Amino acid sequence: MANLSPGPLNLPPKRPDVRDALLQAASELIIERDTLEVALTDVAQRASVNSALIQYYFGNKDGFLLALLERDIGDAVRRMRILLASDGSALDKLTTHLSGLARAYHRVPYLNRLLRLISNAAEEEVFGELVRRLVDPMCSFYREVIAQGVAAGEFRQVDPVFLYFTVVGACDQLFSNRRLFNQLAAGGRTTDAALREFTDYLVKLVFDGIKMRA
């Protein structure tokens, strides 16, 4: 009797440009529609590829969203590590970081919503790994920069976890609520102008809280 079991699928090799195009398409649609509930068929259509490739590259929707989160936060984590190893003062490092963080949330305002969605659905072991790879590095950055600033007499001792929730929460609330901000803000400020003003405000707010007073 002939062997009727299916043979190996003749799948093309995975290409980074297709993977990146799918992630970028998802990011654009989430921002445009202001929701994480974006159909995978719409993502594939925006990326001009077959929707079956999402399963091929990411396994399922959960894997796809996790890859998007890793892409968006992973870049920030790499920049923090480079900044931490630089020769600047704690004041300079924190200023650079806060400016970059505000720009990151301006560019991808869904970051916290995506992190919460994945975290709430994850089992404990997966959640712990997610925190270790994507959240702990930021808290560690704050811990080391604060320690450097305290040693140099620039900063007083503050809790790095509280600092994390303060700055991330501020960025998330402003840029994920753009419609509300546009309604409340006087003068019809553009998003670029608001980004500059908010960055200056955030830096001053944080430094007023942690700088050593004479």
Side-chain angles (χ1 to χ4, degrees):
M1 180 180 290
N3 183 3
L4 300 180
S5 61
L9 294 176
N10 187 22
L11 294 172
K14 291 184 177 180
R15 293 167 44 191
D17 59 324
V18 173
R19 187 180 190 277
D20 292 345
L22 286 166
L23 293 174
Q24 183 58 31
S27 180
E28 291 172 1
L29 289 171
I30 289 171
I31 293 171
E32 289 172 13
R33 300 177 183 180
D34 195 23
T35 178
L36 297 175
E37 296 300 321
V38 174
L40 296 184
T41 51
D42 291 347
V43 173
Q45 184 176 18
R46 172 65 65 92
S48 300
V49 301
N50 190 303
S51 60
L53 289 177
I54 294 178
Q55 182 177 2
Y56 177 51
Y57 279 84
F58 304 100
N60 53 32
K61 187 171 184 178
D62 290 343
F64 182 52
L65 292 177
L66 179 58
L68 179 61
L69 182 66
E70 289 175 332
R71 184 201 74 160
D72 292 336
I73 296 185
D75 288 342
V77 169
R78 284 188 288 273
R79 286 194 296 270
M80 278 190 298
R81 287 174 176 154
I82 294 171
L83 182 59
L84 192 60
S86 67
D87 294 330
S89 68
L91 198 65
D92 290 339
K93 289 178 183 178
L94 195 53
T95 300
T96 300
H97 165 71
L98 293 174
S99 298
L101 189 68
R103 288 194 300 272
Y105 273 87
H106 179 257
R107 186 175 65 254
V108 280
Y110 56 79
L111 273 178
N112 270 30
R113 280 180 288 168
L114 184 56
L115 178 60
R116 285 194 298 270
L117 176 70
I118 294 173
S119 298
N120 290 341
E123 296 182 359
E124 197 63 31
E125 183 177 347
V126 176
F127 174 67
E129 178 65 13
L130 182 69
V131 171
R132 185 189 67 79
R133 288 192 292 113
L134 300 180
V135 180
D136 277 349
M138 187 175 291
C139 290
S140 296
F141 173 84
Y142 292 145
R143 187 175 296 109
E144 294 190 41
V145 169
I146 290 168
Q148 180 185 349
V150 169
E154 292 180 315
F155 297 160
R156 65 185 183 87
Q157 184 62 51
V158 296
D159 190 314
V161 175
F162 287 167
L163 182 58
Y164 166 81
F165 280 105
T166 298
V167 298
V168 168
C171 291
D172 173 61
Q173 282 298 306
L174 178 63
F175 295 116
S176 67
N177 288 289
R178 295 187 187 192
R179 185 179 183 186
L180 177 60
F181 174 78
N182 290 336
Q183 183 69 27
L184 294 174
R189 288 176 288 185
T190 65
T191 55
D192 287 342
L195 173 61
R196 290 192 296 271
E197 292 176 27
F198 174 74
T199 300
D200 290 343
Y201 169 79
L202 182 64
V203 169
K204 291 174 183 175
L205 179 69
V206 170
F207 285 162
D208 281 347
I210 70 173
K211 284 180 70 174
M212 183 66 74
R213 292 176 174 80

